Amino acid sequence: MGMSTSTRKQQAREAREDLILREAQAILLERGYLGLTMDRIAQATDYSKGTIYQHFPNKEEVVMALVTQTSSRRSAMFERAATFRGRSRERMAAIGQAAELFVRLYPDHMRSEQIVRAASVRDKTTPERRRVLEACESRCMNVAKGVVRDAIAAGDLELDPERVPELAFGLWSMHFGAFNLAVAEWPLDELGVDDPLASLRVNQHVLLDGYGWQPLFAGAFDWDATNARIAHEVFAGEWARLAGEA
Amino acid sequence: MGMSTSTRKQQAREAREDLILREAQAILLERGYLGLTMDRIAQATDYSKGTIYQHFPNKEEVVMALVTQTSSRRSAMFERAATFRGRSRERMAAIGQAAELFVRLYPDHMRSEQIVRAASVRDKTTPERRRVLEACESRCMNVAKGVVRDAIAAGDLELDPERVPELAFGLWSMHFGAFNLAVAEWPLDELGVDDPLASLRVNQHVLLDGYGWQPLFAGAFDWDATNARIAHEVFAGEWARLAGEA
DNA sequence: CCATGATTTTGACGAAGCGTCAAAATCTTG
DNA sequence: CAAGATTTTGACGCTTCGTCAAAATCATGG
C-alpha cells in the first residue's frame, strides 16, 4: 500500500465528511434539531447509516462538528477585527461588530450552539471534539484579552491586569446573553425591547464607559465614523454578503 | 354530581399533578433531560402512562411546567427585592442579589430553562404554557424597569425614559449570559475566569456606573454594607437555606 | 488478469421511547 | 344496586437509535 493510496483514501474520507456535514446542515436548517436523524442524513448523502456512523458516533457529534466549523469562522473574524488600525477601544468595537455580524450571518449557528451547550446533549459528545470548540472560545477570549492589555499599556484604560479576564467576561456574557435572547424567538418586544441587537450595541459601550476605557462612548469621539471605517476596512465582504441575503 | 364531588376530583387531580412534577423533578435531577421519559415518570408515580398523558401531552410540557414553577419563585424574589428600603440603585443591587441567589438555590433550573428555550423543544409546547413563562419574565422585567423609572424620578439617574427597557435589557442579557455560562460546566477557569458569579457582580455595577446611576460603585459609597443589609433584611431565609445545603 | 485476504459498506435487527386507544376498572346517580 | 359516565390501563404501532454479520469493494503479489 503506497503513500498515494493512503492519501487518496484519506481525501475521499474527508470529502465524504464534508458532504455529510453539508447535508446535515441543510436538514437541520429545514427540519430543526429534532428533525435531524441519522437515517435522514444517510438518505440525503446516499450512504448507508453504518457509513455515517463511521464518521460520527451519534447525531450530537454531527451537530457539534457543525458548531465547531462555524465557531472557527467566528474566531477568525475576531482575529481579523483586532487588526483594525485605531485606538484600543476602537479595536474592541471592531470585535463587537464582528460578533454582531457573526450572529447575523449565521443565526442558526446560535440555535445549534445553544443545543450543544445543554448539559444532556454535551454529555453524549466526545471530550476530543469538545476540546476543539473550547479552543475556538479560547481564541476569541484571547483576542479580546489582548486588546484589553494593549489598552492598559497604551494608557487608554486604567485597570489591574488581574482584572482583564473579568472585563472580557463582562463583554462575553452580555453578548452571549443578548444573542441567545435575540435568536430564541421570544416576544422581547412585549417587554419593550424592540431591537435587542441595537440595545446590545449601546450597552456594550456603556459597560466599557463604566470601566473608563478611553475614548468614552459618552463623549465627543465620533463612533459612527469608527463603525463605518470598521465595516469598510475589515468587514466589507461580510456586510456585502449580509446585504445580498436580505 | 354535587359541587363537593367536583371539588374533590379537582383536588385529587391537582395533588396528582404535583406528584408527577415532584417525581419528574427528581428524575431530571438524577438522570438528566435525556433520562427523563414518560415511562419512567409513570413508573415513579405508580400511575400508568396514559394517566400521565392526561396531564401533560409530552415531556417537553412537563419540563416547561417545572421551569414555570421555579420561575414564578424568581419573580416573587425580584418583587421582594424591589421592596428594599434604600436608594434606587441599592434596590437594583437587591434585584441583582435576588438573581444570584436564585441561580445558586436552583442551579438545575437554569439547565432546564436552557433546554426549554431551545427552539426545537419549545415548538412542542403549547402556547398557553409558554404564556405563563413569558408572564414570569414580564414580571421580572417590570420590577426592574420600575426601579429604573424610580431612579430617574429621584434624580439618581439621568436617562431618556424611552431607554429604560434598554438599560433593563443590558442587565438581563449580562445576567442571563453569565448564569448560563456559569451553569454549563464549561472550563471557564482555563480562560482566566475563576469565579464567574463574582465577575458578574462587578460587571453589573460597572454597567450601571456607565449609565451614571448614583451612587456609583466606583465611589465612596459603602456597597458592602448595602449588600449585607439586603442579605439580612430581604433574603435572610434564602441565605440560610443555601448555607444549610452546602 | 486473477486469487486472496484486508477493508469498507450495507441494511436488517433488537432495544427503547413516543403517543394512542379500545378495553377494563372505577365512580356516579337515580 | 344497575346502568351509564368517567377514568385508568398497558399493549400496540411507529420512529429512532446504534450494532454487527454478511456482502461488496479494494489492494496486492503472483
Side-chain angles (χ1 to χ4, degrees):
Chain A
M1 181 170 79
M3 182 62 191
S4 70
T5 303
S6 154
T7 301
R8 211 177 322 123
K9 273 193 184 178
Q10 190 60 27
Q11 281 181 345
R13 202 187 150 75
E14 276 167 25
R16 191 167 56 188
E17 192 146 320
D18 280 352
L19 175 65
I20 292 173
L21 289 177
R22 255 201 318 282
E23 293 296 336
Q25 176 82 272
I27 297 170
L28 196 58
L29 223 64
E30 195 176 333
R31 324 184 64 127
Y33 179 69
L34 294 177
L36 180 71
T37 70
M38 294 304 251
D39 286 285
R40 260 202 262 274
I41 295 175
Q43 200 195 327
T45 54
D46 271 326
Y47 284 103
S48 76
K49 195 148 49 125
T51 301
I52 309 297
Y53 274 95
Q54 296 266 329
H55 290 261
F56 302 98
N58 51 50
K59 84 167 175 175
E60 283 74 24
E61 288 270 305
V62 176
V63 178
M64 191 65 131
L66 287 173
V67 167
T68 300
Q69 267 193 340
T70 317
S71 278
S72 84
R73 287 191 208 156
R74 173 166 51 193
S75 304
M77 284 174 74
F78 269 48
E79 280 159 3
R80 202 138 52 83
T83 67
F84 179 70
R85 303 231 164 215
R87 291 184 62 178
S88 60
R89 190 161 162 176
E90 291 181 283
R91 290 168 60 215
M92 188 54 96
I95 294 178
Q97 190 173 117
E100 179 177 345
L101 205 38
F102 177 81
V103 278
R104 291 176 63 180
L105 279 169
Y106 311 103
D108 44 293
H109 166 90
M110 293 306 290
R111 286 184 256 272
S112 301
E113 193 180 317
Q114 205 172 15
I115 287 161
V116 160
R117 267 209 153 77
S120 55
V121 170
R122 207 192 43 231
D123 289 350
K124 299 190 73 179
T125 63
T126 59
E128 196 194 306
R129 216 179 282 274
R130 276 201 298 253
R131 288 249 138 227
V132 182
L133 196 54
E134 282 163 28
C136 285
E137 248 156 40
S138 190
R139 276 171 68 192
C140 287
M141 198 62 172
N142 282 331
V143 170
K145 287 189 289 192
V147 174
V148 178
R149 281 196 216 93
D150 290 349
I152 296 172
D156 289 335
L157 173 64
E158 206 166 314
L159 188 73
D160 179 351
E162 288 273 313
R163 289 180 58 200
V164 169
E166 184 180 286
L167 189 159
F169 181 70
L171 283 171
W172 184 21
S173 52
M174 184 187 270
H175 272 86
F176 182 80
F179 289 150
N180 275 294
L181 288 169
V183 116
E185 41 216 49
W186 213 259
L188 287 176
D189 50 339
E190 287 176 19
L191 303 174
V193 184
D194 302 308
D195 185 349
L197 293 187
S199 293
L200 172 63
R201 278 194 294 270
V202 173
N203 278 312
Q204 152 199 23
H205 270 299
V206 172
L207 178 67
L208 298 185
D209 274 10
Y211 273 105
W213 192 337
Q214 300 294 328
L216 295 182
F217 181 63
F221 194 83
D222 187 351
W223 283 101
D224 284 342
T226 294
N227 283 328
R229 261 185 65 216
I230 297 167
H232 182 259
E233 294 173 21
V234 189
F235 296 118
E238 279 81 358
W239 282 109
R241 188 136 65 90
L242 199 60
E245 279 171 12
Chain B
M1 182 170 79
M3 182 62 193
S4 69
T5 304
S6 155
T7 301
R8 212 178 321 123
K9 274 192 184 178
Q10 189 60 27
Q11 281 181 348
R13 202 186 149 76
E14 276 167 27
R16 192 168 55 189
E17 192 147 320
D18 280 353
L19 175 65
I20 292 172
L21 289 177
R22 255 201 317 284
E23 293 297 336
Q25 176 80 273
I27 296 169
L28 195 59
L29 223 63
E30 194 177 331
R31 324 183 64 128
Y33 180 69
L34 294 177
L36 179 72
T37 71
M38 294 304 247
D39 286 285
R40 259 202 264 273
I41 295 176
Q43 200 195 328
T45 55
D46 271 324
Y47 285 103
S48 76
K49 197 151 45 131
T51 301
I52 309 296
Y53 274 94
Q54 296 267 330
H55 289 262
F56 302 98
N58 52 50
K59 84 167 174 173
E60 283 73 24
E61 289 268 305
V62 176
V63 178
M64 190 66 132
L66 287 174
V67 167
T68 300
Q69 267 193 342
T70 317
S71 278
S72 85
R73 286 190 210 159
R74 174 167 49 194
S75 305
M77 282 173 74
F78 269 48
E79 280 157 3
R80 205 137 52 81
T83 67
F84 179 71
R85 304 233 163 212
R87 291 183 64 175
S88 60
R89 187 158 166 180
E90 291 180 281
R91 288 168 61 216
M92 188 54 96
I95 294 177
Q97 190 172 119
E100 179 178 344
L101 206 38
F102 177 80
V103 278
R104 291 177 60 179
L105 279 169
Y106 312 103
D108 44 294
H109 166 90
M110 292 307 290
R111 287 185 256 271
S112 301
E113 194 180 318
Q114 204 172 15
I115 286 161
V116 160
R117 268 209 153 75
S120 55
V121 170
R122 206 192 46 230
D123 289 349
K124 300 190 74 179
T125 63
T126 60
E128 196 194 309
R129 217 178 282 273
R130 275 200 300 253
R131 288 249 137 227
V132 182
L133 196 53
E134 283 162 30
C136 285
E137 248 156 40
S138 191
R139 278 170 68 193
C140 287
M141 197 65 172
N142 282 331
V143 170
K145 287 190 288 193
V147 174
V148 178
R149 281 195 215 93
D150 290 348
I152 296 172
D156 289 335
L157 173 64
E158 208 166 314
L159 187 74
D160 179 352
E162 289 273 313
R163 289 180 57 199
V164 168
E166 183 180 288
L167 189 159
F169 181 71
L171 283 171
W172 185 20
S173 51
M174 183 185 272
H175 273 85
F176 183 80
F179 288 150
N180 275 294
L181 288 170
V183 116
E185 39 215 54
W186 213 259
L188 287 176
D189 50 339
E190 287 176 18
L191 302 173
V193 183
D194 302 307
D195 185 349
L197 294 187
S199 294
L200 172 62
R201 278 195 293 270
V202 172
N203 279 311
Q204 150 198 24
H205 269 299
V206 172
L207 178 68
L208 297 185
D209 274 10
Y211 273 105
W213 192 337
Q214 300 294 327
L216 295 182
F217 181 64
F221 194 84
D222 186 351
W223 282 102
D224 284 343
T226 295
N227 283 326
R229 261 186 65 215
I230 297 166
H232 183 257
E233 293 173 20
V234 190
F235 295 120
E238 280 82 358
W239 282 109
R241 189 136 63 88
L242 198 60
E245 279 170 12

